[in-house]
Amino acid sequence: FHRQMIYYLDHPPESTLMSSWHTFRRVAQSDVIVTLDGQGADEQIAGYPRYLIPHIAYSAEPLREARMLSSMPGTGAFVRVGAIAALARRLGFPKLLPRLLEQAGKRVFDGSPLNSSLVFDCANGLQNLIHYADRTSMAFSVESRMPFLDFRIAEFLAKTPAVYKFRDGCTKYLARRAFAGSLPDEIVWRRDKMGWPIPEAYWLSGSLRSWFTQTIESSSFLRELGVSADAGAGLGKGVPLNRLTRLLNLAVWHDVHVDQRWRPSKTLRSPDR
């Protein structure tokens, strides 16, 4: 599956991308040929936990917002950084925290207000997610449509004040209000954020460990780039898994697209479906 994914994606991604790949693989096994996906919602209506930082930092009542948002699972660090940023702004040092974070290598907040952060993410990181969704869906001849990226919705949300994106301790408040009464409350007002998690650490440290390390260490292309011949041995020894995964993808990409040692033998979706 991994070589297939790299082949259809055209360039090496930052993860194994198996969540997207297997989702569309399952869709292709059904009679569904078009899906409606939520790409762009988080970047326009502030769905990611990191957006808590600029929201709290520029809030008129930062302590109140921090208390309400601290009950969201997995947001403690973001709430604390937001509260510190708000305090620094009140004391007249709005750029102090962003500079300290950048020096520490933790670029989670650059000092911009919430809507400015959303604009930046829409113009940058979102294009990668769209590329991934488009390539992995079309690999299985599934059309992925993204209603949140309809230009009319995008224009409307770009003009929407930040106060309607975070409100009463909830992310994506505007979308929640829009669907209140149409969807069950346990879905509309759910407060924990879960994207498309991939159990990469479990896979690559377990049954796939040998393949993972061998693929990295046998790549002549990685050697040309100056990557250590025993780089794969860093798995489980303090080397970030995402760094090793990128090396894996780069090695497979070169093998598939440059050396052309592998090509799919058939289409991934049978023509009679």
Side-chain angles (χ1 to χ4, degrees):
F1 290 144
H2 189 260
R3 289 188 297 180
Q4 288 179 335
M5 181 269 291
I6 294 291
Y7 175 80
Y8 285 103
L9 207 64
D10 279 346
H11 71 74
E14 63 178 356
S15 73
T16 61
L17 216 61
M18 285 295 107
S19 54
S20 178
W21 185 259
H22 280 283
T23 295
F24 287 114
R25 179 170 177 263
R26 293 295 299 272
V27 170
Q29 292 170 349
S30 70
D31 293 326
V32 175
I33 58 175
V34 179
T35 61
L36 297 179
D37 302 343
Q39 297 286 7
D42 288 315
E43 290 82 1
Q44 295 184 90
I45 326 176
Y48 295 127
R50 65 176 180 270
Y51 295 136
L52 271 66
I53 299 175
H55 168 66
I56 295 173
Y58 284 86
S59 172
E61 299 181 273
L63 293 181
R64 174 180 177 274
E65 289 297 312
R67 283 196 297 269
M68 295 182 69
L69 293 166
S70 62
S71 62
M72 292 176 59
T75 61
F78 298 104
V79 170
R80 288 191 291 272
V81 173
I84 295 172
L87 178 61
R89 289 188 69 248
R90 294 292 179 92
L91 294 176
F93 304 101
K95 297 296 182 180
L96 177 61
L97 182 60
R99 289 171 183 167
L100 293 175
L101 291 171
E102 184 174 4
Q103 290 175 2
K106 299 179 179 180
R107 299 179 180 179
V108 293
F109 179 52
D110 64 358
S112 301
L114 176 60
N115 271 348
S116 296
S117 299
L118 298 179
V119 169
F120 179 84
D121 284 353
C122 285
N124 293 276
L126 181 57
Q127 60 184 310
N128 270 345
L129 299 180
I130 296 172
H131 175 82
Y132 295 158
D134 180 64
R135 291 306 181 93
T136 53
S137 62
M138 291 308 295
F140 293 97
S141 300
V142 175
E143 182 177 345
S144 170
R145 297 183 181 177
M146 306 173 187
F148 280 100
L149 295 178
D150 182 287
F151 75 93
R152 290 157 293 196
I153 294 179
E155 288 177 352
F156 169 73
L157 292 175
K159 299 174 184 176
T160 302
V163 68
Y164 295 110
K165 298 173 182 179
F166 267 112
R167 192 178 181 90
D168 297 336
C170 289
T171 61
K172 301 194 329 192
Y173 182 79
L174 187 64
R176 295 175 189 270
R177 288 295 303 169
F179 288 97
S182 299
L183 294 174
D185 285 350
E186 58 267 27
I187 294 177
V188 172
W189 301 109
R190 176 178 171 174
R191 291 172 60 81
D192 58 319
K193 170 67 177 175
M194 180 176 292
W196 248 344
I198 310 173
E200 290 175 335
Y202 177 78
W203 290 340
L204 301 179
S205 298
S207 59
L208 296 179
R209 185 184 186 108
S210 177
W211 166 80
F212 181 66
T213 56
Q214 183 178 0
T215 302
I216 293 175
E217 295 177 353
S218 64
S219 173
S220 58
F221 178 59
L222 293 183
R223 300 294 85 72
E224 292 176 15
L225 296 179
V227 177
S228 172
D230 61 349
L235 182 63
K237 297 181 180 179
V239 179
L241 179 61
N242 61 351
R243 181 179 183 276
L244 294 174
T245 304
R246 289 169 182 166
L247 293 178
L248 169 74
N249 291 339
L250 195 57
V252 174
W253 169 83
H254 190 271
D255 189 55
V256 170
H257 286 287
V258 179
D259 290 343
Q260 298 185 356
R261 295 176 181 173
W262 183 89
R263 284 291 183 272
S265 59
K266 60 181 179 179
T267 59
L268 297 181
R269 185 174 185 138
S270 57
D272 58 339
R273 289 198 67 88

